[in-house]
Amino acid sequence: MTLRPQRWAFGAALALLVLFTLFPFYWAMVASFTPDAALFREPSLWPRTIILDHYRALFVERDFLTPIRNSLVVAGTTTVFCLVVGTLAAYALARLDFKGKPAIMAFILAVTMFPQISIVSPLYLLLRSLRLIDTYPGLIMPYMTFAMPLTVWILTGSIRQIPRDLEEAAHVDGASRRQSFTKILLPLAVPSIATTGILTFIYCWNEFLFALSFTLGPERQTVPVAIALFRGQYQVPWGQILAAAVVATAPVAVMVLGFQRRIVQGLTAGAVKG
Amino acid sequence: MKYEARLGWMLVAPAIGVIGLIAIFPLGWTLWESLHMHELRMPWLGNPFIGLGNYAEIAGDPRFWAALGHTAFFTVTSISLELVIGLFLALAMNRAYRGRGLVRAAILVPWAIPTVVAALLWRFMFESESGIANAILVDVGILDQPIVWFIETATAWVPVILADVWKTTPFVALLLLAGLQNIDLSLYEAAAVDGANGWWQLRHITLPLLKPAILVTLIFRTLDGFRVFDLIYVLTGGGPGTSTEPVALYTFNALLQNLRFGYGSALSVVIFAITFGLAMLYVKGLGVRLGGEER
Amino acid sequence: MARIALEHVDKVYANGFVAARDLSLEAADGELLVLVGPSGSGKSTVLRLMAGLEQVTGGTIRIGERDVTDLPPQKRDIAMVFQNYALYPHMTVRENLGFGLSIRKQPVALINERVRMVASSLGLDAMLDRKPAQLSGGQRQRVALGRAIVREPLAFLFDEPLSNLDAQLRVETRVELSRLHQKLGATMVYVTHDQSEALTLGDRIAVLRDGVLQQVASPMELYSRPANRFVAGFIGSPAMNFIEGTLSAETTGSESGGRFTFKGGDLVLDVRCDSPASSSVVLGVRPQHLEVVGDADGMLRAEVTLVEPMGNEQIVYVSLSGGERLVAVAPPEPPMKQGERVAIRAKRDAVHLFDAKNGVRLSCGGVQPSRD
């Protein structure tokens, strides 16, 4: 597929797609520097004025740091916990032989397909009876329902790709199972674990339904909920919303730029194996 | 080895335990609730067992069937677009050229941001008559005059579908890319030597060998499409009226707006059943290997 | 050093596949025993059973006098060289070599000393601080070898260690392994699918097929007195020629067996054998034991279909008038030509007879060509 005119058209289409992909961000950024009054009047592709009012309002009046902190705590804790528990489970599923393994894999796969909406209400009642509504544990626990299966699934696929004979050589050399796990497998699995951590963190950070249902006020709301619920006095405060969007997107963009190769590997290791 | 089996179960237990507690137990509870009447707004009615009463109500509920239709429409339309564009992107990312890493990163960003942010970006672009979408479409000549997108159902779907395609195509492209990379290059070389051109190679080598990856993509995307919530909640709120409301949003409203826990639970079960049914269909059709066999 | 013995070992997998069946085998103390056989013959499985990487489903394994059947690999004190070397990619060569000792908490000074000695004897001094990824295939192989040697184990197990090397390196390394064995006097069990490797390296060779031991013997014994048709056809290159035929009824009997006439295609021979079980037999003769002579003089008329000049000899493919194909090895001169008419003669007493049904070699001797 390498004819000259084809290649040219192909390149053009690709450029168009990339443009299409990046344009909404660009537009949001422009708007975030534009005063509210000018937002819907004769939009132009180039910013006419640059003001920082929206950003200031974001952090000063709306205390946007709080949702950021909440998201960090919830996503971070969930990720770390799932990585620890998930790595052990993945090791068992990838390396050990025991009856019921296919059933477990099927079970995990099945849980990833759960519609979240189907367990929102009982989780709500459960959390309420445990007085965990509007708390950190009250979000971390429900987040396990999707973070744990995801972690186990991707890590199992990744560990399977590490050749078995390295651990066998370690065993013959005299290493116990724990030693071969910590000295041989774990160091080699670190890149996959890191990638899985990134993916899990992203999923937790972006989660909306549970965060919406299980928090009551700005104290514990996460970033997606906070942004979605921005209320203005008279009209939708688009300037601030978009400023918040830019703030929410910037770190993600940096992470993706830095780790794109790893992210691609991690996603495909888990997904295509199934 | 008995020891190995014991160790295996021990290591797997925490993960399974957590999942079981937090996913299975609530699911069972939902099932139980769905067989009762439980109107939190009318506590004097108590919590009587009504068997399949809620399900009967669902069967006759026009808003439910409408929601099902919306969900199906959304899913089918999005997936079709995502597959086509995703395939193109995958083919593009499969080659080596300068700036490939940058392109990959660029198209990954929409996938990585929260859905609500994506929804807000697109809502903003299509908002009001002087939004940027209107401005561009009128300038380019596709529209004669600006449309108020969110007033009409038909036009309200446009930003919804566009936003979903924008956000999820990268993921589709990645799944397909993984499949592409498993295709032996020498097949293309043999075809080229035999005189086949690019289109022939696409139709007779790429697509058939990509089938497993395409089917995997279909599973994931269909299930995701059926569970759509965040996007529509923020973009249209289900509106105008309830004309873009998907089943998940309807259930949410029933549960946490109208506080009809019994009815909402029944809706949840129905969604679950549909999702599971679809998954089973795909799995049977694919013969997906679920792990356990390696060597 | 110690011997390794398998006693009536069975290995049946959960799906019913039988990898080893009533296998009894011993590698004597200080011996280099080669396990050879086609793919799927169970040879790698046997090695892994010896290492403890797989569990037997029946039978016993001993190392020295110790019953190690239920011991995990860590406790067996044997070393293994894997086919893909299995070098720890995140460790340097030095750390790879010393891994076994450091796991056993040996003193650092001892580890350093042994690593240094082994590295220098294998020519790895310059690479001690590199990682496996930076080494060539041959160097990695030596590190794998070194890792085993450093541990001074009771025995060495080799799983097709040369199969990933190119042809020339393979031959060189084979020689080095032989020298190593002589120097260390170690018990070694060596798995390969290459019969020529087996013949050159082994003190004794065990031929396996579908999990069943066919024959254990010295290379010469295997070559000249193969126990059955499979071993005869597997050992030796080019492979032995086989001609199917029948043995006539016993013509005369005597102390040393009866006289029979073998008829196979154009070939007629008088043989003296102990009573065979059936009259259907297969005659086997090695290409090296077939003489190709000018027409008229020999036993069988044939036409040359292909000649492969090998420098020191010619491999001649002929076709008999009945259509049977034979392979012969002839001296380099005179060069044969395709289409040439020749005659084939078998060297006396170099002919084997096998029972056609069970492949067992019949004890026969005194082969005489019948007057044609």
Side-chain angles (χ1 to χ4, degrees):
Chain A
M1 307 214 262
T2 51
L3 299 171
R4 271 314 127 182
Q6 247 191 30
R7 195 184 271 182
W8 189 90
F10 166 81
L14 191 61
L16 217 63
L17 263 175
V18 174
L19 217 63
F20 175 70
T21 305
L22 296 178
F23 180 74
F25 296 114
Y26 172 75
W27 187 239
M29 217 164 48
V30 167
S32 70
F33 293 126
T34 313
D36 268 328
L39 274 178
F40 288 113
R41 232 182 279 150
E42 286 178 43
S44 89
L45 284 178
W46 299 111
R48 290 210 190 89
T49 49
I50 306 243
I51 53 152
L52 292 175
D53 290 10
H54 298 308
Y55 288 93
R56 199 180 38 79
L58 200 58
F59 289 101
V60 173
E61 283 154 31
R62 285 195 188 272
D63 185 23
F64 197 56
L65 276 180
T66 304
I68 293 181
R69 184 196 68 207
N70 294 337
S71 277
L72 276 174
V73 170
V74 172
T77 315
T78 309
T79 303
V80 168
F81 184 80
C82 286
L83 280 182
V84 171
V85 173
T87 305
L88 294 174
Y91 174 73
L93 289 168
R95 286 288 187 253
L96 300 177
D97 201 18
F98 53 100
K99 280 202 193 55
K101 223 169 40 160
I104 295 182
M105 295 296 281
F107 172 69
I108 292 180
L109 186 61
V111 174
T112 59
M113 299 185 192
F114 269 28
Q116 280 186 307
I117 190 73
S118 301
I119 51 178
V120 159
S121 56
L123 274 179
Y124 181 83
L125 293 172
L126 176 68
L127 292 173
R128 194 174 69 165
S129 67
L130 292 174
R131 311 262 187 94
L132 287 177
I133 295 285
D134 213 34
T135 65
Y136 285 138
L139 276 184
I140 295 174
M141 272 174 52
Y143 276 22
M144 303 280 185
T145 55
F146 59 84
M148 189 71 82
L150 183 74
T151 317
V152 173
W153 188 262
I154 298 184
L155 279 175
T156 307
S158 305
I159 292 185
R160 285 219 184 115
Q161 290 185 333
I162 300 178
R164 262 181 200 252
D165 51 4
L166 293 175
E167 286 154 86
E168 285 179 348
H171 288 155
V172 172
D173 271 350
S176 69
R177 204 173 259 291
R178 182 161 10 114
Q179 285 170 320
S180 73
F181 175 72
T182 49
K183 289 186 195 280
I184 308 291
L185 186 68
L186 218 48
L188 293 175
V190 159
S192 314
I193 297 179
T195 308
T196 310
I198 295 176
L199 288 172
T200 309
F201 188 85
I202 292 183
Y203 274 106
C204 291
W205 183 276
N206 295 351
E207 200 283 330
F208 181 66
L209 176 58
F210 283 171
L212 181 67
S213 314
F214 303 144
T215 58
L216 296 174
E219 266 307 296
R220 287 283 177 262
Q221 278 168 357
T222 57
V223 168
V225 175
I227 297 186
L229 295 182
F230 267 17
R231 297 257 179 275
Q233 269 202 301
Y234 301 108
Q235 39 172 231
V236 180
W238 278 114
Q240 285 178 18
I241 292 180
L242 293 166
V246 170
V247 169
T249 308
V252 167
V254 168
M255 249 195 346
V256 164
L257 264 165
F259 296 114
Q260 54 99 354
R261 185 165 291 161
R262 283 206 196 286
I263 293 179
V264 171
Q265 274 177 352
L267 280 177
T268 52
V272 179
K273 288 300 177 214
Chain B
M1 262 197 90
K2 289 217 190 88
Y3 166 71
E4 200 172 296
R6 254 191 312 138
L7 180 66
W9 279 104
M10 257 173 41
L11 290 177
V12 167
I16 306 271
V18 166
I19 298 179
L21 200 63
I22 312 234
I24 302 298
F25 164 66
L27 195 65
W29 192 96
T30 300
L31 209 67
W32 179 246
E33 264 288 290
S34 73
L35 302 173
H36 294 71
M37 175 179 351
H38 198 175
E39 310 281 339
L40 285 185
R41 284 230 186 102
M42 298 188 272
W44 55 87
L45 285 178
N47 195 356
F49 180 84
I50 56 170
L52 298 174
N54 285 319
Y55 294 98
E57 190 182 334
I58 292 179
D61 182 355
R63 190 168 162 191
F64 167 74
W65 290 103
L68 203 58
H70 303 150
T71 315
F73 167 72
F74 170 77
T75 306
V76 169
T77 318
S78 299
I79 295 186
S80 316
L81 286 170
E82 284 160 18
L83 265 179
V84 170
I85 304 179
L87 183 61
F88 174 79
L89 265 179
L91 290 168
M93 290 199 284
N94 203 18
R95 305 164 172 223
Y97 53 86
R98 267 181 318 152
R100 174 163 79 153
L102 228 57
V103 170
R104 259 201 240 189
I107 65 172
L108 263 185
V109 181
W111 166 82
I113 63 174
T115 312
V116 296
V117 171
L120 284 168
L121 291 179
W122 283 87
R123 171 98 201 193
F124 179 63
M125 291 197 300
F126 278 79
E127 181 88 336
S128 116
E129 289 172 339
S130 34
I132 188 69
N134 273 324
I136 294 182
L137 290 172
V138 166
D139 270 351
V140 171
I142 300 184
L143 288 180
D144 288 328
Q145 46 177 259
I147 306 180
V148 183
W149 296 90
F150 297 104
I151 297 284
E152 295 283 328
T153 309
T155 53
W157 276 117
V158 172
V160 171
I161 304 267
L162 276 180
D164 193 68
V165 168
W166 178 80
K167 187 171 197 306
T168 337
T169 306
F171 182 67
V172 170
L174 280 181
L175 290 181
L176 295 178
L177 179 65
L180 272 182
Q181 287 172 337
N182 282 336
I183 301 181
D184 192 354
L185 277 180
S186 46
L187 289 175
Y188 293 111
E189 290 170 353
V193 164
D194 278 348
N197 71 357
W199 283 116
W200 191 97
Q201 291 176 12
L202 181 66
R203 270 191 59 216
H204 289 102
I205 302 182
T206 313
L207 286 180
L209 287 176
L210 213 46
K211 231 169 40 162
I214 294 182
L215 284 172
V216 169
T217 312
L218 274 177
I219 295 185
F220 280 116
R221 287 305 305 145
T222 311
L223 295 178
D224 284 342
F226 239 86
R227 298 181 283 179
V228 68
F229 177 82
D230 307 11
L231 189 70
I232 304 197
Y233 179 88
V234 171
L235 248 179
T236 63
T242 59
S243 58
T244 58
E245 187 182 53
V247 281
L249 185 52
Y250 180 40
T251 310
F252 179 79
N253 287 329
L255 281 171
L256 294 171
Q257 305 281 58
N258 303 331
L259 298 178
R260 303 191 60 199
F261 267 63
Y263 187 64
S265 298
L267 283 171
S268 300
V269 171
V270 170
I271 296 184
F272 182 78
I274 296 179
T275 325
F276 227 72
L278 284 173
M280 282 300 112
L281 257 166
Y282 274 125
V283 167
K284 282 274 150 54
L286 260 195
V288 169
R289 290 180 297 129
L290 286 173
E293 319 91 5
E294 277 176 48
R295 302 192 155 193
Chain C
M1 281 305 131
R3 67 170 191 135
I4 304 184
L6 265 62
E7 293 163 8
H8 300 290
V9 162
D10 294 307
K11 176 63 183 174
V12 183
Y13 284 100
N15 60 4
F17 179 67
V18 177
R21 200 196 320 253
D22 194 26
L23 201 56
S24 292
L25 193 57
E26 177 178 322
D29 193 346
E31 175 181 47
L32 200 169
L33 176 73
V34 176
L35 300 177
V36 76
S39 305
S41 53
K43 53 193 193 297
S44 282
T45 310
V46 168
L47 201 72
R48 290 168 65 86
L49 287 172
M50 289 179 180
L53 293 170
E54 310 237 12
Q55 297 302 102
V56 302
T57 43
T60 320
I61 302 185
R62 281 184 210 284
I63 298 184
E65 291 311 312
R66 239 164 114 223
D67 182 344
V68 300
T69 320
D70 293 323
L71 286 185
Q74 292 85 337
K75 302 221 172 79
R76 295 196 186 191
D77 198 17
I78 38 94
M80 184 154 162
V81 177
F82 288 78
Q83 185 173 2
N84 293 319
Y85 315 136
L87 300 182
Y88 309 124
H90 56 298
M91 298 187 189
T92 61
V93 167
R94 190 192 303 272
E95 289 165 341
N96 264 280
L97 292 176
F99 184 75
L101 293 177
S102 71
I103 281 285
R104 286 154 211 266
K105 307 262 197 304
Q106 296 293 315
V108 176
L110 174 73
I111 299 181
N112 287 340
E113 179 55 29
R114 285 228 202 134
V115 167
R116 196 190 56 77
M117 264 176 35
V118 170
S120 107
S121 77
L122 288 172
L124 292 170
D125 311 72
M127 287 149 232
L128 280 173
D129 292 307
R130 295 203 204 154
K131 295 235 176 97
Q134 298 163 292
L135 304 177
S136 73
Q139 290 165 339
R140 285 184 211 170
Q141 213 262 2
R142 275 181 273 154
V143 176
L145 202 48
R147 191 169 64 182
I149 298 176
V150 163
R151 285 188 38 214
E152 296 183 2
L154 289 177
F156 291 83
L157 303 176
F158 294 89
D159 191 357
E160 306 211 40
L162 303 184
S163 54
N164 288 351
L165 302 176
D166 65 61
Q168 180 167 353
L169 205 50
R170 209 179 298 171
V171 172
E172 288 173 13
T173 317
R174 209 171 68 195
V175 172
E176 278 183 39
L177 280 175
S178 222
R179 290 214 188 103
L180 186 71
H181 177 236
Q182 282 173 9
K183 188 171 98 166
L184 293 179
T187 311
M188 292 184 177
V189 181
Y190 186 104
V191 164
T192 179
H193 62 271
D194 182 341
Q195 54 90 35
S196 67
E197 210 168 282
L199 287 173
T200 51
L201 274 179
D203 291 333
R204 278 191 314 153
I205 303 173
V207 180
L208 286 167
R209 183 194 196 195
D210 292 334
V212 177
L213 186 60
Q214 304 293 307
Q215 186 177 3
V216 179
S218 71
M220 279 328 294
E221 172 105 4
L222 276 179
Y223 186 83
S224 49
R225 275 188 295 281
N228 58 35
R229 179 184 171 166
F230 175 76
V231 176
F234 187 79
I235 301 285
S237 177
M240 186 184 275
N241 293 292
F242 291 110
I243 303 177
E244 289 173 11
T246 50
L247 277 186
S248 64
E250 207 162 332
T251 47
T252 55
S254 77
E255 287 289 328
S256 44
R259 289 185 61 167
F260 300 82
T261 309
F262 172 85
K263 274 196 172 64
D266 282 344
L267 190 55
V268 182
L269 295 170
D270 285 337
V271 296
R272 188 182 6 226
C273 289
D274 297 340
S275 316
S278 77
S279 64
S280 273
V281 294
V282 178
L283 181 130
V285 58
R286 294 200 182 276
Q288 290 81 357
H289 298 150
L290 284 179
E291 267 182 85
V292 182
V293 295
D295 210 351
D297 209 1
M299 277 195 318
L300 291 173
R301 304 261 158 72
E303 180 182 327
V304 174
T305 55
L306 183 66
V307 178
E308 287 177 343
M310 303 292 280
N312 61 329
E313 60 195 14
Q314 301 175 74
I315 301 186
V316 183
Y317 294 79
V318 300
S319 178
L320 301 181
S321 45
E324 299 93 343
R325 303 216 210 138
L326 294 180
V327 182
V329 171
E333 303 286 344
M336 309 255 152
K337 280 195 312 278
Q338 186 179 344
E340 211 174 302
R341 296 219 151 266
V342 294
I344 303 289
R345 188 168 60 199
K347 294 206 179 105
R348 229 187 247 200
D349 286 339
V351 160
H352 307 271
L353 281 170
F354 304 93
D355 184 311
K357 272 204 209 68
N358 60 24
V360 173
R361 194 171 70 95
L362 305 172
S363 29
C364 297
V367 173
Q368 309 268 359
S370 282
R371 285 287 153 244
D372 213 334

